[in-house]
Amino acid sequence: MKLKQRVVLLAILLVIFIFTKVFLIDNLDTSAANREDQRAFHRMMAGLRVELVSKLDHTLQSPWEIAAQWVVPREVYPEETPELGAIMHAMATKKIIKADVGYKGTQLKALLILEGGQKVVFKPKRYNRDYVVEGEPYAGYDRHNAEVAAFHLDRILGFRRAPLVVGRFVNLRTEIKPVATEQLLSTFLTIEPACADGDTMEGSVTLWLPDVWPLQKHRHPWGRTYREGKLARWEYDESYCDAVKKTSPYDSGPRLLDIIDTAVFDYLIGNADRHHYESFQDDEGASMLILLDNAKSFGNPSLDERSILAPLYQCCIIRVSTWNRLNSLKNGVLKSALKSAMAHDPISPVLSDPHLDAVDQRLLSVLATVKQCTDQFGMDAVLVEDRMPLSHL
């Protein structure tokens, strides 16, 4: 064989070797990631049921201190939370030392200070479990039980971006009135007693995020106009995602993939009202999208508002870890997991069976939407590997 032919042959063999090596390494990395996702799923399922217990035996810290230390830029709480039951028990039972009107917003709520100085937001019961909210997908009052269910779905999906929420019964006469501000007495307590059972009111309690993590509010790029006859750009421009990708903070970092995750989350719970969202301040796009204010969810189990998924089907990208978790939850696993996670909440049953069935059916729609994307663009273009190291030190 001539020298020139040998050189060509060696070059071809070298190219084949390099491509084979890259392909094998890529597949090994993907397989390792998939195996870790599967292990994470099994860990989540094993720790799903949270029993509310009164003591923290292994630490002298208060439940509020532990919850505050959990918060990092990409998570509100870590994957393993042995103290979660004690923290939620404290949220549901600790003495209320002050009660004031809630933070800004259109829905009625109360800001409570619990023993130990912890702030929580109390949202009262407005509907019975089987009540169906008719009209627009964002219609109706806040649903307190939706906050509880959304928190547990956040756990199940492995996002860990929703503040802790638990159900609570409060006595208006003995727990609220003695410590209420005049403003609360003149508003909340004159309107809400109709929703109470005698002196007792059912509601949800959301743990306030630590003050050392101030929030920054953003307009959601897929927000609605809320004006009849006026469409937002994303509602008529199928190339809208291309424009979003050129805009900070969606042009780099994890924020756009957080938007996609949030679209999946909101579609599963039926929340079409996320016109704004919060992240931590001065994050330069690196902070998580925090899943706050989920009470406009679980209104109508028969309504599947597909437009909530617009970020997913217009951008056609999704995290590999999210995709793996969604696939692990099909065939009735999601409904069973959600029901199990909420079983020990003080206001259980949190959701009616039609809402649990609806979550399972919506999951199939999410999976079908991703498949449409992969059929059109291929798996490599749609499934994005984006795993960020998280520290709770």
Side-chain angles (χ1 to χ4, degrees):
M1 186 180 294
K2 295 181 179 179
L3 180 61
K4 187 176 180 179
Q5 291 174 319
R6 289 177 182 174
V7 171
V8 171
L9 180 58
L10 285 172
I12 293 172
L13 290 173
L14 182 61
V15 170
I16 293 172
F17 173 76
I18 291 172
F19 273 100
T20 302
K21 187 174 182 180
V22 170
F23 177 77
L24 288 173
I25 290 174
D26 185 60
N27 276 321
L28 285 172
D29 287 346
T30 301
S31 298
N34 289 343
R35 286 195 298 271
E36 176 51 35
D37 285 343
Q38 196 62 32
R39 287 193 292 266
F41 172 73
H42 289 304
R43 288 194 298 269
M44 179 277 295
M45 292 294 286
L48 194 58
R49 294 174 71 91
V50 179
E51 296 190 36
L52 275 61
V53 294
S54 58
K55 291 185 179 180
L56 286 166
D57 294 327
H58 64 291
T59 177
L60 295 177
Q61 289 182 302
S62 75
W64 316 137
E65 290 171 329
I66 293 172
Q69 290 172 1
W70 280 350
V71 181
V72 294
R74 294 294 307 168
E75 288 184 332
V76 175
Y77 54 94
E79 181 182 17
E80 296 184 11
T81 53
E83 306 91 350
L84 182 59
I87 294 170
M88 296 178 76
H89 180 272
M91 293 167 61
T93 61
K94 282 287 188 182
K95 182 180 179 180
I96 300 167
I97 61 176
K98 184 178 180 181
D100 201 351
V101 292
Y103 58 96
K104 59 185 178 181
T106 59
Q107 298 286 327
L108 212 54
K109 58 185 80 73
L111 179 62
L112 308 180
I113 309 295
L114 303 184
E115 185 179 13
Q118 178 63 51
K119 288 189 285 188
V120 297
V121 175
F122 179 83
K123 294 187 177 182
K125 174 182 177 181
R126 302 299 294 262
Y127 302 112
N128 292 323
R129 298 292 191 272
D130 56 355
Y131 186 89
V132 176
V133 179
E134 303 286 356
E136 297 292 340
Y138 46 82
Y141 295 116
D142 277 356
R143 277 78 77 176
H144 72 297
N145 56 316
E147 290 282 14
V148 176
F151 164 66
H152 288 288
L153 180 63
D154 176 66
R155 294 175 58 220
I156 292 167
L157 292 175
F159 293 162
R160 300 188 288 279
R161 300 172 204 152
L164 277 57
V165 184
V166 69
R168 177 165 179 162
F169 291 95
V170 297
N171 187 294
L172 297 176
R173 181 174 56 83
T174 62
E175 291 187 275
I176 300 295
K177 286 186 178 180
V179 296
T181 62
E182 288 297 325
Q183 188 177 4
L184 184 68
L185 288 171
S186 64
T187 56
F188 190 87
L189 295 180
T190 57
I191 298 172
E192 291 304 308
C195 304
D197 182 8
D199 288 331
T200 302
M201 179 180 288
E202 178 183 320
S204 66
V205 170
T206 301
L207 195 70
W208 196 272
L209 290 170
D211 291 336
V212 295
W213 293 97
L215 301 182
Q216 181 176 350
K217 193 171 186 177
H218 309 264
R219 182 175 294 279
H220 196 299
W222 276 268
R224 302 172 189 277
T225 66
Y226 296 92
R227 286 188 283 177
E228 188 175 354
K230 183 173 178 58
L231 297 177
R233 179 179 168 183
W234 63 267
E235 293 180 279
Y236 61 82
D237 183 358
E238 286 299 317
S239 65
Y240 176 70
C241 184
D242 294 333
V244 174
K245 288 178 179 178
K246 298 174 183 176
T247 307
S248 179
Y250 312 107
D251 54 350
S252 63
R255 188 63 56 81
L256 182 58
L257 288 167
D258 282 0
I259 290 282
I260 307 298
D261 282 348
T262 303
V264 171
F265 176 79
D266 282 340
Y267 180 72
L268 292 175
I269 64 179
N271 178 21
D273 196 41
R274 202 174 296 279
H275 43 82
H276 290 81
Y277 68 85
E278 284 81 16
S279 69
F280 293 130
Q281 280 185 7
D282 302 322
D283 65 331
E284 297 182 352
S287 159
M288 63 183 155
L289 188 163
I290 305 168
L291 296 174
L292 283 171
D293 292 331
N294 302 305
K296 281 294 187 74
S297 312
F298 297 106
N300 188 341
S302 300
L303 178 61
D304 295 338
E305 182 55 47
R306 179 169 166 75
S307 66
I308 300 172
L309 283 178
L312 174 60
Y313 60 70
Q314 290 183 353
C315 296
C316 267
I317 55 172
I318 191 170
R319 285 187 170 100
V320 172
S321 56
T322 302
W323 172 245
N324 287 340
R325 179 58 58 94
L326 294 174
N327 275 286
S328 296
L329 291 167
K330 61 188 180 184
N331 300 323
V333 176
L334 178 55
K335 172 185 174 179
S336 176
L338 189 54
K339 191 172 185 178
S340 178
M342 301 184 296
H344 291 290
D345 192 273
I347 65 169
S348 179
V350 176
L351 293 178
S352 65
D353 285 338
H355 282 297
L356 290 167
D357 292 335
V359 172
D360 257 2
Q361 289 301 311
R362 290 167 186 158
L363 173 59
L364 297 179
S365 296
V366 174
L367 295 174
T369 300
V370 177
K371 187 178 185 305
Q372 290 173 354
C373 288
T374 57
D375 287 347
Q376 183 175 357
F377 300 107
M379 299 281 283
D380 290 343
V382 175
L383 303 184
V384 179
E385 185 57 73
D386 174 48
R387 294 167 199 268
M388 303 184 70
L390 301 170
S391 172
H392 285 277
L393 299 178

